[in-house]
């Protein structure tokens, strides 16, 4: 059990929830937790969220889409929070000769924020490409600029550059004078486009998949995805981070 310490962004349809438990989770970028408030049986199951930070306090980013996420966004400081985790396989940090490019779509920024901060702590600096539909859907953008180079794209041009986030990615990858590694999290169509761009240029790419989960431990088999070899992978236990070639055919 943990206690909420701070909630930010609820008026924007998001909630950045900070919490503290009786022990530190010691999670890594790309890992997730199953979270549930003390609200009885509606809904009865927890929800899966990538860790935004992990240490003395932990944080998750919630986008309000239904009953469970709305109840989480309505939490106040000192409210109880049931947390299971950290679970899953996280990102492998870049080698010293690799320049990391992080590509986020929407709330896919959550694990990439954590990764960018970890890269900075180890002496590197990431380029973060953050795509959204509009300027109201870019939580954590201001914060991430403190330790990464940020490029924002919006489909309506209301913030940053108008267009899709894969456009600046292609421009960066076409500069072959620098060794790159790409990390990505976001909607499936974006992930596939990022993976294709990396395959075409022979650039290593790690992706964090998003999937609804019931148990978060590989028991219910509800988060199955069809991999490139025609077999299924389970996002909670085999992932959520995969080499992009494992999921998308080259």
């Amino acid at each position: 059990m943990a206690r909420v310490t701070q909630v930010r962004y609820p008026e924007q349809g998001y909630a950045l929830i900070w919490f503290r438990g009786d022990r530190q989770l010691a999670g890594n970028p790309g890992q997730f937790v199953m979270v549930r408030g003390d609200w009885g049986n509606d809904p009865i199951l927890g929800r899966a969220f990538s860790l935004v930070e992990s240490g003395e306090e932990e944080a998750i980013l919630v986008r309000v889409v239904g009953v469970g996420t709305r109840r989480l966004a309505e939490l106040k400081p000192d409210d109880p929070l049931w947390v299971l985790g950290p679970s899953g396989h996280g990102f492998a940090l870049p080698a010293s000769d690799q320049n990391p490019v992080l590509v986020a779509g929407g709330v896919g920024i959550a694990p990439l924020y954590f990764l960018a901060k970890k890269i900075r702590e180890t002496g590197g600096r990431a380029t973060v490409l953050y795509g959204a539909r509009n300027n109201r859907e870019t939580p954590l953008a201001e914060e991430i600029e403190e330790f990464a180079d940020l490029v924002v794209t919006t489909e309506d041009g209301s913030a940053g550059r108008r267009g899709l986030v894969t456009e600046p990615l292609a421009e960066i990858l076409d500069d072959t004078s620098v060794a790159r590694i790409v990390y990505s999290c976001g909607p499936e169509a974006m992930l596939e486009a990022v993976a294709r761009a990396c395959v075409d240029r022979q650039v290593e790419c790690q992706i964090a998949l998003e999937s609804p989960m019931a148990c978060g431990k590989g028991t219910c088999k509800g988060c199955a995805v069809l991999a490139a070899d025609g077999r299924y992978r389970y996002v909670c236990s085999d992932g959520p981070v995969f080499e992009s070639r494992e999921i998308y055919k080259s």
Side-chain angles (χ1 to χ4, degrees), residues 97 99 175-180:
D97 62 342
N99 289 265
D175 178 5
T176 57
S177 64
V178 180
R180 308 284 187 184

Side-chain angles (χ1 to χ4, degrees), residues 13-90:
Y14 295 88
L16 180 63
I17 301 174
W18 292 85
F19 57 91
R20 185 193 299 266
D22 56 3
R23 65 176 180 85
Q24 294 183 17
L25 295 182
N28 295 311
Q31 290 189 295
F32 69 93
V33 289
M34 299 294 293
V35 175
R36 187 180 188 281
D38 186 22
W39 52 55
N41 294 328
D42 183 25
I44 194 168
L45 296 175
R47 298 291 187 268
F49 297 97
S50 296
L51 285 165
V52 174
E53 288 206 28
S54 184
E56 293 185 3
E57 288 187 323
E58 329 289 341
I60 57 173
L61 178 64
V62 177
R63 180 168 67 94
V64 179
V65 294
V67 175
T69 50
R70 176 174 54 79
R71 289 186 182 277
L72 287 170
E74 292 171 348
L75 292 174
K76 301 292 188 292
D78 205 41
D79 281 346
L81 198 64
W82 177 82
V83 182
L84 177 65
S87 299
H89 302 282

Side-chain angles (χ1 to χ4, degrees), residues 221-248:
K221 309 303 183 186
C223 61
V225 294
L226 187 62
D229 62 4
R231 299 181 180 183
Y232 286 97
R233 303 289 190 276
Y234 300 101
V235 174
C236 67
S237 55
D238 297 321
V241 174
F242 298 88
E243 291 289 338
S244 62
R245 293 173 186 267
E246 185 177 356
I247 304 300
Y248 299 111

